[in-house]
Amino acid sequence: MLSFGRKFGILAGVAVISCGATYIVCQQNFETRIAELQEDISELQKKELQAKVTQRVSEQMEDIAFQQKNISDKQREEALKQSQIADIERGKAEIERGLAQQAQMQAVEAAQQADQMRIIAENQTELATNNMMDAEEARAKADTLFYLSMGNSLAQAALAKGSVATDISRLLSYASWHYTKQYGGSENSDNVYKALLYSSNSIDKINTELKGSVRSIDIINIGGARWVLSVTDYGEVALCNNAREHHRFYVEDAPFRGMTMISSNRCAAITSNGKVIVMEFSGAHNPQMKVVGMIRLGAGVWRDICYIGKGLVVVMSDRSLVWVNGESMGVKAVTKLETGLHSLGYESDSGILHLFGKNGLHYVASASNNNQCKRSDLTSVKELITAYFYNKSTGTHLLGTESGTIYIISKNGRIMNTLSGHTGAITSIKSLNQAVISTSYDHTMRFWSFASMTSIAESIEFRFEAWPLSFVVDNDSQMIWIGNEAGSVNRFCTSASKNADATKALLRREFTMDEWNYYIGKSVPYRTFMKNKK
């Protein structure tokens, strides 16, 4: 029993302990549950509060949305109104666009019509302009022909007054030149140029008081001063200048036949009795002359002399060619040729000497090699060539003949032109620009001018009392100096413009109205010439 009690006590104790433990556990679970419930309640309270807040916010958002809806409704209504207005405006725009397209089409048509009218107008304008230009050109041609004809008639009137210039002849000469030049005519035409020569006192005779015939004439430079040097067949040597100063010298037993310049102040001359004489000049204002060399070549008919450079001169007789050193005065070579030689010329750029004789006889020789001398067929001209000149600028040969005919020969020997007018043998011939100048035993000098060496030449004739034998053109002063067989030297200016200026400087009065109306005509406006520097 005791054991049972013990066991029961133990069991009761265990039970009490178990119950206590259970109570404690249950109490803890309860408390835990209560805490969880309180936490859930607290969470629910928070959610409730949050829900209330959310509800309130939703209510506010709903209010806002409702307000936005009202605004949107109003905006939609406004947009509908604007759409309706836009539709109306678009309709109007469509109508206006249609009208604009029609207007554009009408404008295009109008522009096309305007272009057509413009083209027609331009054509009409061009036609009218062309007609006007033709009319102006015809009028200008008529005026030009009128004034050129008047210029020529004024020159003829001036020449009719004689070779002594008067007030009215100078006025006529200058007016002739003025209108001829102004209207494009040739101021070097025969009447105009001659009238100016007489009225300007350009034709001048220098009284050198020479006894012999002036056989050769050239330009020499003595100490910077230009002089005209001439030699005569009486042994005279003369110097003269544009200031009409002149000096004479004499070389005994020296009937000069020809002369050539070998330096600016030194010349070599051949005499008819076979002497080669070298003369030197010094003193610009008071020239002096001395013979610095002389050699006698012997008997023969000595014709001409030519300087070929390097101190050498070539002398020609009627049957031979002699090379002479102009410094040492020694004969370098002699070439015997066929008899009948008459004239000598030098083709400077090729170094060829040309020798001409009777019946078309023609030799060519090399200036650098005296052994090269042979017959040539430069031209088919069979006349006696009395004067020769080589035109370096054109490469043409000028041949003056015994009959007075002048031939212009090309490089290959073809006759390019024939100039007829002289009635006596040509004594001297030269080329100046597009002109040929020639002198003849017919007592005349002629200027032949043409556009080209093959065109028809127009000549101006000047007549002298004595035979003009030789001449030289001074390009610096534009003067021509002519020596003649009477022993005098003539000069005149080749420039029509210079002669016109000289004539104008000599004018002492103007035309009277009566003179103007008589010589020029009432239809031409009156003008003065002394005051207008034209």
Side-chain angles (χ1 to χ4, degrees):
M1 261 316 268
L2 182 58
S3 175
F4 178 77
R6 290 180 182 169
K7 290 181 182 179
F8 182 77
I10 292 170
L11 289 172
V14 171
V16 170
I17 292 169
S18 299
C19 289
T22 302
Y23 173 79
I24 293 170
V25 171
C26 290
Q27 185 67 30
Q28 288 178 345
N29 288 337
F30 178 75
E31 288 176 358
T32 300
R33 181 59 180 166
I34 291 173
E36 290 176 353
L37 290 174
Q38 287 177 346
E39 186 178 351
D40 291 339
I41 291 170
S42 176
E43 185 68 28
L44 289 172
Q45 287 176 346
K46 289 180 180 179
K47 288 183 178 180
E48 181 182 6
L49 180 60
Q50 186 176 3
K52 287 181 179 180
V53 171
T54 301
Q55 182 180 4
R56 188 169 184 138
V57 171
S58 296
E59 289 175 354
Q60 290 177 352
M61 293 298 293
E62 184 178 355
D63 291 338
I64 292 170
F66 183 73
Q67 292 175 0
Q68 290 294 328
K69 179 177 176 297
N70 289 335
I71 294 171
S72 177
D73 290 341
K74 290 180 180 179
Q75 289 178 342
R76 185 169 60 253
E77 291 175 359
E78 183 66 23
L80 288 173
K81 291 180 181 178
Q82 292 297 326
S83 177
Q84 292 174 352
I85 293 171
D87 289 339
I88 294 171
E89 293 298 326
R90 186 166 55 252
K92 292 180 180 179
E94 289 292 333
I95 294 172
E96 290 177 355
R97 186 173 64 82
L99 294 175
Q101 288 178 343
Q102 293 178 356
Q104 183 183 13
M105 292 176 62
Q106 293 175 353
V108 170
E109 292 178 358
Q112 291 175 348
Q113 293 177 355
D115 285 341
Q116 292 176 354
M117 295 301 294
R118 180 179 57 78
I119 293 171
I120 294 173
E122 287 177 352
N123 292 336
Q124 292 296 327
T125 301
E126 184 179 1
L127 181 61
T129 301
N130 290 337
N131 290 337
M132 182 178 67
M133 290 175 64
D134 290 342
E136 288 292 331
E137 185 178 355
R139 185 177 67 82
K141 286 182 179 178
D143 288 346
T144 298
L145 292 174
F146 169 75
Y147 281 106
L148 291 180
S149 175
M150 183 181 72
N152 187 62
S153 65
L154 290 174
Q156 289 178 336
L159 291 171
K161 301 296 180 182
S163 59
V164 178
T166 61
D167 287 345
I168 186 62
S169 67
R170 286 196 175 102
L171 282 168
L172 290 169
S173 298
Y174 188 78
S176 166
W177 172 83
H178 170 79
Y179 287 113
T180 299
K181 185 174 180 64
Q182 183 178 7
Y183 286 89
S186 173
E187 59 183 347
N188 291 312
S189 62
D190 192 358
N191 290 330
V192 175
Y193 183 78
K194 279 186 176 179
L196 286 174
L197 276 179
Y198 293 130
S199 64
S200 64
N201 293 335
S202 177
I203 299 179
D204 195 10
K205 182 178 179 180
I206 307 298
N207 185 15
T208 55
E209 301 178 355
L210 299 174
K211 298 178 181 179
S213 300
V214 178
R215 303 298 307 187
S216 187
I217 190 168
D218 213 330
I219 303 294
I220 188 170
N221 190 311
I222 306 175
R226 292 175 69 82
W227 292 84
V228 177
L229 170 66
S230 55
V231 296
T232 74
D233 55 10
Y234 196 74
E236 298 158 303
V237 179
L239 292 171
C240 53
N241 61 15
N242 282 317
R244 299 182 63 85
E245 299 174 342
H246 59 89
H247 301 268
R248 287 190 303 152
F249 309 96
Y250 178 73
V251 181
E252 188 177 357
D253 190 27
F256 292 112
R257 174 72 185 184
M259 174 183 65
T260 184
M261 300 302 302
I262 59 178
S263 70
S264 61
N265 68 331
R266 183 178 286 199
C267 71
I270 180 66
T271 65
S272 58
N273 56 9
K275 293 180 182 179
V276 176
I277 301 174
V278 177
M279 294 165 281
E280 186 177 84
F281 298 83
S282 60
H285 303 294
N286 186 25
Q288 301 296 317
M289 185 206 80
K290 65 178 179 179
V291 175
V292 295
M294 181 183 296
I295 184 174
R296 183 181 292 275
L297 301 180
V301 181
W302 297 98
R303 298 288 191 185
D304 209 346
I305 186 170
C306 177
Y307 179 64
I308 60 175
K310 297 181 180 180
L312 291 176
V313 295
V314 173
V315 186
M316 186 190 76
S317 72
D318 64 336
R319 63 181 64 198
S320 65
L321 201 60
V322 182
W323 278 259
V324 177
N325 189 315
E327 297 177 356
S328 64
M329 301 310 297
V331 175
K332 182 180 179 181
V334 177
T335 303
K336 297 293 184 180
L337 300 170
E338 187 176 349
T339 187
L341 297 177
H342 188 276
S343 58
L344 171 67
Y346 183 45
E347 189 176 335
S348 57
D349 53 358
S350 61
I352 298 297
L353 290 159
H354 293 272
L355 296 78
F356 298 95
K358 61 183 180 180
N359 300 323
L361 179 64
H362 177 216
Y363 283 97
V364 293
S366 171
S368 59
N369 187 345
N370 54 282
N371 293 323
Q372 292 184 7
C373 188
K374 60 182 180 179
R375 288 289 298 267
S376 174
D377 295 324
L378 174 67
T379 173
S380 58
V381 177
K382 297 304 179 184
E383 298 182 61
L384 175 63
I385 306 301
T386 57
Y388 170 87
F389 183 80
Y390 175 68
N391 188 336
K392 189 174 181 179
S393 62
T394 61
T396 54
H397 309 269
L398 306 180
L399 305 182
T401 65
E402 187 177 30
S403 68
T405 302
I406 297 171
Y407 296 94
I408 300 176
I409 310 298
S410 67
K411 292 180 180 180
N412 58 10
R414 182 177 61 87
I415 298 177
M416 299 171 60
N417 207 338
T418 302
L419 309 181
S420 300
H422 284 296
T423 57
I426 304 299
T427 57
S428 185
I429 188 169
K430 289 181 176 66
S431 179
L432 178 65
N433 299 325
Q434 288 293 332
V436 171
I437 308 171
S438 56
T439 54
S440 168
Y441 280 123
D442 63 5
H443 292 261
T444 67
M445 168 180 275
R446 283 182 179 265
F447 278 30
W448 309 83
S449 60
F450 25 49
S452 67
M453 288 298 176
T454 58
S455 60
I456 297 176
E458 297 179 0
S459 67
I460 302 175
E461 180 186 288
F462 302 94
R463 185 164 291 275
F464 303 94
E465 294 179 359
W467 292 335
L469 300 179
S470 179
F471 70 91
V472 64
V473 180
D474 184 358
N475 292 322
D476 285 4
S477 63
Q478 294 182 296
M479 298 289 289
I480 290 184
W481 297 79
I482 309 104
N484 60 43
E485 54 88 20
S488 61
V489 175
N490 294 84
R491 67 174 182 178
F492 59 86
C493 182
T494 63
S495 169
S497 297
K498 278 193 172 183
N499 290 333
D501 291 340
T503 298
K504 187 173 185 177
L506 294 171
L507 294 179
R508 296 185 295 181
R509 67 175 180 86
E510 303 285 0
F511 281 106
T512 66
M513 286 304 301
D514 288 339
E515 289 171 339
W516 184 273
N517 293 336
Y518 178 77
Y519 288 109
I520 296 177
K522 296 180 180 180
S523 61
V524 180
Y526 180 84
R527 60 155 298 154
T528 59
F529 294 105
M530 292 178 65
K531 298 178 182 179
N532 298 287
K533 304 298 183 183
K534 295 184 179 179

